[in-house]
Amino acid sequence: MTGWVGYTHGAMQPQLMSGNEAIAHGAVRAGAGFACGYPGTPSTEIVETAAKLSGIHAQWCVNEKVAVETGVGAALAGVRTLVTMKHVGLNVAMDPFMAVSLAGVNAGLVILSADDPGMHSSQNEQDNRNLARFAKIPLLEPSDSQEAYDFIAAAFELSEEFDTPVLLRTTTRVSHGRGLVVPGEPVELQPRPYTRDISKYVMVPANASKRNHRALQRLEELRARAEVSPLNVIEPGTIDFGIITSGVAYEYAKEAFPDAWFLKLGFSNPLPYQKVLEFYGKVSRVAVVEELDPFLEEQIRALGLPVYGKEYIPAEGELDQDAVRRALEPCLTAEPPARGPVTIPGPQQLAPAPAPALDVKDLPILPVRPPVLCPGCPHRAVFSTLRKRRMVTMGDIGCYTLGALAPLLALDTSLCMGASIGMMAGFNKALGKKAAVGVIGDSTFFHSGITALLDARYNEAEGVVVILDNRTTAMTGQQGHPGTGVHPDNTDGPAIDIVRLCLGLGVRVQTTDPADYKSLEKLVREEVKAPGLSVIVVQSPCILYLPPEKRTVEVVDDNCNLCGLCLAIGCPAIAPLDDTVSILDNCIGCGLCADVCNRDALIMHGLNEMAGV
Amino acid sequence: MSTAEQAFTVSLVGVGGQGILRAAAIIAHAAVAAGLDVKSSEIKGMSQRGGSVLSTVRFGQRVLSPRSDHADLVIATELLEGLRGLPLLAAGGTMVCAASTRIQPGAVLRREQEYPTELAEQAAARGVRLIALDAEALARQAGNPRTANSVLLGAASALLPFCDDDWQAGLAKSVPPKTLETNLLALRLGREATTSQEARQ
């Protein structure tokens, strides 16, 4: 047991639990309502245990990427969520893992990575502590079952306080090892209803760069917290030898050297520099004991502090107390290493932004020119329709992400490729109702939407998935994909039918042409009301890829009262005048403005009509 | 070019779809034909969606960095983007702008903001030499309104160390063969318009 005393444990009896069982019980005690993951040794028993407990929904996802996306959806809905996987599973989930670091969470989101030093049942060894550092998020490392139980609650609190996902990292001996756990009192939670925030949850470059800046600030705030966290403790010893350690390696080292000083890091990223420096004031010899990578060691060395590290401790396989004792015995009596100057990275002192060569102080504030959906883009009709339903709309990555910008403001989120469907499923599952829909392009659906739809079907998620099938990978310049069968050299291969693919999953599928706006509206209205999961495939080629037949729009000035319905579709081919609107030269005649007009002020003229037929 | 060692920087600014990337390619290929080292870079992810586009070409005896925020010359294919591009200029720099080309962004179309037109005043206040011309009209005169960027390149050509053969080579590498003659004519009209503008001043 450690000196960590973050929570009061009531008068309950200790129970023997594996670390995984303790995490599941600890999550429920901390108010978590949603657990998902993909099975993988040594992480599997967490979701299995959660499934037996009341008050928490537990589900297997089709893979770890979909699990994280589902978890983000559930956390946004306001439910504390735990997502579990083994170390290599996090490789599969890296895309949403990196993106949610920037977007942040609503209710707490804890991602559990169970690493497998020694490769008892894995294809590789990897130290996922590196990935917490990579993603600029906090890392908690329990050493035994009690800490597993306690740290999950601390992880949820950190997640909500700092608006960040938290990586809870165990290893085989923590997850599968058993120990006594004194249960704690249930944590009282305040409701955290979802609030729409496009600037936070839609990761277009302009938003993501601000969120990235925020993540860097957050990292330093977290470091300050790690300095004072009760999870990071200095345990006094009686000999002039100190050990810095985390996770199960603490147990090995403590058993090997009970008289040594210890800096036990339960909250190990970002590294609390001052705490490390304080520890170096206690002893003249310091060893770092950690399994796998020199994760702490390299950061401590970078401060200029001498360490007995990986030249003594193996960087592969598991440790145990004998291995640690054998490895470090020579260091106990060694001449203490010389200490040079120590450099703690201070706050950033960036050079001031260079003054422009020209004086630009008095330049007027210029109208911005963000990218927009093209005039005649078939996506515009879908967003115009979805806006009216006032559903939470989980978006995805492609041209259609532009639907999040003014004046459409039709998307709530865009996290990473293929995230829309998992987030929709998690959001709806967490709330127990059909509150969110998903919007995804055809190429993105083939990229990684298929697995998420498979998952939503398997888990009987509610929702409507709108697939914008414009027959190309539009945003990057009209590349082919499996739905078109087109290869980079423009040769044709087999084309996969989205509708039949979805039908094969047993999902209800409807198709529509956005040019028939009334039918599209009716279909969306019906599907949003209907129970269960359905797909609407909106079929209309990208106008850059296959320009439609030219039609023209006539403005009947007397009928126009400038109500703004046609302006709200955000088309760059319509402009308001003083008492009517004007159709500009870049109009291709898609007719959406006429469809949304309810005063017959916009009249379409087709090719036949113009030819006098 | 300030010194033999220093790279000359041209930044091209405009609206996605206006052919900024191709205009940059013409300059880059002309520099190659002139026997110079060249680097260029652009941000083109949004280039087909009507957003602001910036492309930079640097040439000289030896070019290291592919980008610079201190351009010797800014070529703007649209008036508002010309204003936006003013801070890209080094002191003593020149801007060539298609000042009659105005593409209203959404906020202006929706009357949330005014389209700013004071490029000449803002340039003068900062000592920027401005070559403003109606590139579209000259392009139509050349026979194809889509050669407006060649008009701008012609207007800028007095500042660039390329001979006629270099321009011809640059255009030949970048425009469809059947439009080469029209583009060469547009380039010449742009150059003549600038010369006569200078003569008047």
Side-chain angles (χ1 to χ4, degrees):
Chain A
M1 295 294 297
T2 75
W4 187 73
V5 286
Y7 291 88
T8 42
H9 302 127
M12 294 188 219
Q13 286 301 306
Q15 296 173 23
L16 191 61
M17 285 188 198
S18 72
N20 282 349
E21 288 167 337
I23 288 166
H25 283 273
V28 171
R29 174 248 175 173
F34 199 97
C36 61
Y38 185 81
T41 308
S43 70
T44 311
E45 297 81 6
I46 302 170
V47 166
E48 286 184 330
T49 304
K52 294 175 195 148
L53 300 176
S54 59
I56 188 166
H57 168 79
Q59 71 178 43
W60 289 129
C61 288
V62 69
N63 63 39
E64 294 85 354
K65 175 181 185 289
V66 173
V68 170
E69 290 156 357
T70 303
V72 174
L76 287 192
V79 174
R80 284 189 170 185
T81 298
L82 172 63
V83 185
T84 72
M85 62 202 66
K86 68 183 294 176
H87 59 288
V88 285
L90 194 49
N91 301 346
V92 179
M94 278 307 280
D95 206 359
F97 179 70
M98 295 304 289
V100 71
S101 167
L102 301 198
V105 298
N106 175 28
L109 176 67
V110 178
I111 295 166
L112 176 126
S113 166
D115 293 6
D116 187 18
M119 295 188 273
H120 297 289
S121 49
S122 306
Q123 68 269 44
N124 76 347
E125 272 185 340
Q126 66 181 47
D127 190 334
N128 278 5
R129 295 179 299 167
N130 294 299
L131 298 183
R133 198 164 178 229
F134 190 46
K136 306 178 179 79
I137 66 171
L139 168 67
L140 302 192
E141 294 187 76
S143 300
D144 62 12
S145 292
Q146 180 72 60
E147 287 190 347
Y149 183 88
D150 292 334
F151 281 20
I152 181 81
F156 279 122
E157 284 184 11
L158 279 175
S159 174
E160 288 174 4
E161 183 180 349
F162 291 89
D163 192 19
T164 175
V166 174
L167 187 68
L168 186 69
R169 186 251 193 179
T170 64
T171 52
T172 304
R173 302 293 170 174
V174 175
S175 274
H176 281 174
R178 288 175 182 277
L180 288 174
V181 174
V182 181
E185 298 293 334
V187 175
E188 292 291 327
L189 294 182
Q190 298 299 315
R192 300 180 78 89
Y194 167 74
T195 313
R196 190 173 213 240
D197 188 346
I198 289 174
S199 67
K200 183 172 181 304
Y201 296 126
V202 176
M203 290 293 107
V204 292
N207 295 340
S209 59
K210 292 192 186 83
R211 296 300 303 172
N212 187 51
H213 186 73
R214 173 65 202 130
L216 285 165
Q217 289 175 335
R218 182 184 69 197
L219 193 65
E220 293 317 307
E221 292 163 15
L222 284 162
R223 196 185 307 281
R225 173 57 59 88
E227 298 283 5
V228 297
S229 168
L231 278 62
N232 293 333
V233 287
I234 292 176
E235 297 174 0
T238 55
I239 58 174
D240 185 20
F241 187 62
I243 294 175
I244 300 175
T245 185
S246 67
V248 74
Y250 164 80
E251 311 289 344
Y252 302 145
K254 188 80 172 179
E255 186 159 330
F257 296 103
D259 301 327
W261 286 71
F262 274 80
L263 171 55
K264 181 187 184 304
L265 296 171
F267 178 178
S268 50
N269 189 68
L271 184 68
Y273 296 139
Q274 298 297 342
K275 201 86 181 172
V276 171
L277 206 55
E278 181 189 342
F279 188 66
Y280 269 78
K282 312 286 188 194
V283 284
S284 59
R285 301 177 191 86
V286 177
V288 174
V289 177
E290 50 191 337
E291 284 180 327
L292 303 185
D293 291 347
F295 175 76
L296 301 169
E297 177 186 336
E298 286 181 351
Q299 295 182 70
I300 293 166
R301 281 189 195 278
L303 302 177
L305 293 164
V307 166
Y308 300 115
K310 286 297 172 188
E311 69 269 48
Y312 297 96
I313 305 282
E316 60 189 312
E318 291 188 287
L319 300 176
D320 63 30
Q321 56 275 28
D322 295 332
V324 174
R325 191 181 296 118
R326 216 167 37 243
L328 293 181
E329 217 128 50
C331 309
L332 284 177
T333 51
E335 185 67 23
R339 296 211 183 152
V342 174
T343 312
I344 302 277
Q348 271 198 326
Q349 297 179 34
L350 299 181
L358 293 175
D359 179 13
V360 290
K361 281 202 300 290
D362 304 327
L363 267 186
I365 293 170
L366 301 174
V368 294
R369 195 188 296 276
V372 288
L373 292 173
C374 302
C377 174
H379 301 334
R380 185 171 280 112
V382 175
F383 291 131
S384 184
T385 303
L386 285 175
R387 259 161 45 110
K388 292 184 191 163
R389 302 269 68 80
R390 301 189 180 281
M391 303 283 285
V392 173
T393 306
M394 303 299 187
D396 225 298
I397 293 189
C399 284
Y400 49 96
T401 316
L402 298 174
L405 306 183
L408 284 168
L409 304 173
L411 293 180
D412 285 70
T413 69
S414 173
L415 192 68
C416 66
M417 285 290 287
S420 56
I421 301 175
M423 289 176 69
M424 173 201 79
F427 195 94
N428 290 343
K429 204 85 176 173
L431 292 182
K433 62 180 183 187
K434 203 177 208 170
V437 298
V439 177
I440 186 168
D442 48 346
S443 189
T444 311
F445 179 71
F446 285 113
H447 174 280
S448 52
I450 296 173
T451 42
L453 185 63
L454 182 66
D455 183 89
R457 169 73 177 138
Y458 160 55
N459 281 305
E460 299 180 71
E462 296 268 331
V464 180
V465 176
V466 181
I467 301 178
L468 304 168
D469 183 7
N470 66 355
R471 311 298 299 158
T472 188
T473 313
M475 184 102 232
T476 47
Q478 291 91 51
Q479 288 77 22
H481 63 61
T484 64
V486 177
H487 294 299
D489 61 358
N490 280 324
T491 55
D492 284 325
I496 287 102
D497 184 333
I498 290 182
V499 173
R500 287 174 60 198
L501 183 64
C502 296
L503 286 172
L505 301 178
V507 179
R508 186 168 69 249
V509 184
Q510 318 254 20
T511 61
T512 183
D513 179 348
D516 186 355
Y517 186 65
K518 296 286 180 270
S519 297
L520 171 68
E521 274 203 309
K522 181 164 172 283
L523 195 54
V524 170
R525 199 166 51 235
E526 286 170 359
E527 289 304 322
V528 161
K529 277 189 192 146
L533 176 68
S534 61
V535 168
I536 299 174
V537 185
V538 180
Q539 297 168 321
S540 187
C542 173
I543 59 144
L544 297 175
Y545 185 63
L546 192 64
E549 287 189 352
K550 175 97 178 165
R551 296 191 297 165
T552 56
V553 187
E554 179 200 343
V555 183
V556 184
D557 293 343
D558 288 346
N559 289 352
C560 179
N561 67 345
L562 270 185
C563 68
L565 282 175
C566 63
L567 300 173
I569 65 176
C571 179
I574 314 173
L577 301 176
D578 287 340
D579 50 9
T580 183
V581 297
S582 159
I583 303 296
L584 310 180
D585 288 347
N586 53 349
C587 172
I588 70 156
C590 73
L592 178 62
C593 56
D595 284 327
V596 300
C597 178
N598 56 15
R599 294 178 63 87
D600 294 327
L602 298 164
I603 309 292
M604 295 306 299
H605 295 290
L607 275 181
N608 291 346
E609 191 179 334
M610 286 194 297
V613 176
Chain B
M1 232 168 305
S2 321
T3 72
E5 290 77 30
Q6 235 171 358
F8 188 99
T9 302
V10 186
S11 286
L12 298 102
V13 296
V15 179
Q18 280 196 302
I20 295 288
L21 307 187
R22 176 171 292 178
I26 295 168
I27 294 176
H29 285 298
V32 172
L36 296 169
D37 187 20
V38 186
K39 278 186 181 156
S40 70
S41 72
E42 65 228 6
I43 303 297
K44 66 174 182 177
M46 302 292 172
S47 56
Q48 283 192 326
R49 306 294 172 277
S52 300
V53 177
L54 164 65
S55 186
T56 301
V57 184
R58 307 187 78 205
F59 53 83
Q61 295 306 315
R62 185 171 177 217
V63 182
L64 297 171
S65 166
R67 53 174 290 193
S68 167
D69 287 344
H70 304 284
D72 300 283
L73 168 66
V74 169
I75 298 176
T77 57
E78 197 266 353
L79 181 62
L80 165 55
E81 297 310 312
L83 260 170
R84 207 189 306 284
L86 271 179
L88 294 172
L89 274 168
T94 301
M95 174 171 287
V96 174
C97 181
S100 307
T101 305
R102 299 175 185 188
I103 302 176
Q104 301 191 334
V108 173
L109 283 178
R110 295 191 297 272
R111 296 186 158 190
E112 294 159 13
Q113 278 175 287
E114 296 260 316
Y115 187 96
T117 56
E118 66 270 38
L119 176 62
E121 296 83 342
Q122 297 291 353
R126 287 162 185 78
V128 169
R129 178 178 165 218
L130 176 68
I131 300 172
L133 63 170
D134 187 342
E136 286 177 8
L138 290 166
R140 276 193 298 275
Q141 198 180 321
N144 184 346
R146 295 177 64 188
T147 60
N149 290 355
S150 293
V151 172
L152 294 173
L153 294 179
S157 61
L159 295 157
L160 299 171
F162 308 143
C163 66
D164 285 353
D165 285 350
D166 299 335
W167 282 115
Q168 172 137 8
L171 281 165
K173 284 265 188 195
S174 314
V175 304
K178 62 176 193 276
T179 69
L180 180 57
E181 283 308 314
T182 320
N183 273 292
L184 282 167
L185 177 57
L187 192 98
R188 193 155 62 241
L189 290 175
R191 180 183 297 160
E192 285 164 6
T194 311
T195 318
S196 59
Q197 196 179 55
E198 302 277 291
R200 275 201 307 274
Q201 282 169 0

